[in-house]
Amino acid sequence: MTDLSSGAASAPFTPSAIPTPRVFTLSDFDFSLPPERIAQHPAPERSASRLLDGRAMQPVDRIFRDLPGLLRAGDLLVFNDTRVVKARIFGEKASGGKLELLIERVLPAEAGNPGNEVVAHMKVSKKPLPGSVVHMAGGRKAGGFDAQLLGRWPTEDGPLFRFALHGPANESPWELMDRHGHLPLPPYIERQQNTGHDPDEAEDSQRYQTVFARNPGAVAAPTAALHFDEAVLADLAARGIERASVTLHVGAGTFQPVKTENLAEHQMHSEWYEVPLATLAALERCRQRGGRVVAVGTTTVRTLESWAKSGQATGDTNIFITPGFAFQVVDLLITNFHLPKSTLMMLVSAFAGYAHVMGLYRHAIAQEYRFFSYGDAMLLERFAG
């Protein structure tokens, strides 16, 4: 590699001698996954899931509870402390037609919004007109609540819909979701039926939530963190590995496939994040002592790199991380195995190197690792090439 920053004399070069960065397309991130590799249930114990150690060229098969021994005193683990809410709610239009809402965000109270407005995905055969009232969980008169459609969001032709919720006792949107909603399991969890009457399984209420979930607002779990239990956290602390947290409310867009072969044409979904002052201080201490920043999950990577890129500790991010991205914060990444052609596949390939990641996926499939939200995990190091 030619060193252009050195003042020493070097051999002449021509533009043709400079390697051209590879341009990746959507097809580069496709792979064939046997359906039986998609985990439908969590492992019997959180930390009993498998861990593919992919830091070196040759992968090593481990168990997740081995993780503390793979890190060093002085490292900093950063978690996403978002909490999954019961955002999936069934209802009907005034005509009797069935519909389903997946509430993506509760809007802050402000002028013209007393705190009862949300934005949501709407699944319905024919969209109601703005101003229409739909009846959720039986409707307000039957103990559920009504939702008035105000329009689209965030623009007049945006992908989401803005509703004002009205319950019988003026409950907040959080209270209405908690009382009438269902846990929004990923679409590839096949045991979930779209009948509107399926009870949430007890194991999902507990296991599709991290042990340190605190700030409600996600419609999907930060799945790499699902492997942590109290025993692993205690082991990390005993070894001098510090912990900090960020919040990124994972949206349903995380499951949406990329549809454009040209990645530059993809419209990335937006998610709200926050990096607390205590975490900013922990990051600074980590750098000063020579420790490594270990992101637990792609959502933590998106949060930390959004902060580094924008300088904003809180706000909305639509950062799209693909190979060639210059990481500024994260040194190591703990992550699950992701969907083909997904933005998350692109992120991990950017982080650990495309060829290396694809090789790890081939190994994981051959060794019968479990994939996606309830699946196993990988440990990756930032690609230095």
Side-chain angles (χ1 to χ4, degrees), residues 139-271:
R140 185 174 184 177
K141 293 181 179 179
F145 64 94
D146 295 334
Q148 183 179 23
L149 177 59
L150 303 178
R152 289 183 177 264
W153 190 90
T155 61
E156 62 183 15
D157 59 351
L160 300 178
F161 296 86
R162 185 167 181 160
F163 287 91
L165 309 187
H166 302 281
N170 294 320
E171 300 99 325
S172 71
W174 303 110
E175 293 170 317
L176 293 172
M177 282 189 284
D178 189 58
R179 182 181 305 173
H180 304 290
H182 298 266
L183 203 65
L185 293 179
Y188 45 73
I189 302 293
E190 294 179 350
R191 68 178 182 279
Q192 177 168 304
Q193 301 298 316
N194 294 313
T195 62
H197 304 289
D198 51 314
D200 298 326
E201 294 197 16
E203 73 169 358
D204 298 320
S205 296
Q206 179 186 17
R207 295 295 301 277
Y208 196 63
Q209 202 80 264
T210 66
V211 297
F212 36 75
R214 184 175 59 184
N215 293 314
V219 301
T223 55
L226 295 177
H227 305 286
F228 288 84
D229 55 24
E230 295 301 337
V232 169
L233 295 175
D235 194 359
L236 290 164
R239 294 172 184 266
I241 299 163
E242 192 177 358
R243 288 167 49 191
S245 64
V246 297
T247 303
L248 182 140
H249 291 323
V250 191
T254 192
F255 300 118
Q256 293 176 355
V258 178
K259 298 179 180 179
T260 59
E261 192 66 17
N262 181 355
L263 302 184
E265 296 175 357
H266 176 63
Q267 190 71 31
M268 191 68 179
H269 62 282
S270 180
E271 295 168 317

Side-chain angles (χ1 to χ4, degrees), residues 52-60 352-353 355-357 359-360 363 381 383:
L52 180 55
D53 185 350
R55 294 173 296 167
M57 289 300 297
Q58 291 299 318
V60 180
H356 184 54
V357 166
L360 292 174
H363 175 90
E381 191 167 44
F383 179 58

Side-chain angles (χ1 to χ4, degrees), residues 77-81 214-215 243-247 274-276 278-279:
L77 269 173
V78 186
F79 298 91
N80 182 3
D81 66 5
R214 184 175 59 184
N215 293 314
R243 288 167 49 191
S245 64
V246 297
T247 303
E274 180 180 20
V275 185
T279 297

Side-chain angles (χ1 to χ4, degrees), residues 305 322 324-328:
E305 298 297 336
T322 58
F325 181 86
F327 291 88
Q328 300 182 59

Side-chain angles (χ1 to χ4, degrees), residues 31 223 298 335-340 342 344-345 348 361 371-372:
F31 61 92
T223 55
T298 56
T335 184
N336 278 22
F337 296 94
H338 303 294
L339 291 159
S342 65
L344 304 183
M345 272 293 294
V348 296
Y361 270 63
F371 275 61
F372 306 162

Side-chain angles (χ1 to χ4, degrees), residues 61-80:
D61 301 312
R62 303 182 187 276
I63 301 299
F64 194 84
R65 63 172 61 99
D66 297 336
L67 176 69
L70 307 179
L71 304 180
R72 302 195 294 248
D75 286 346
L76 173 67
L77 269 173
V78 186
F79 298 91
N80 182 3

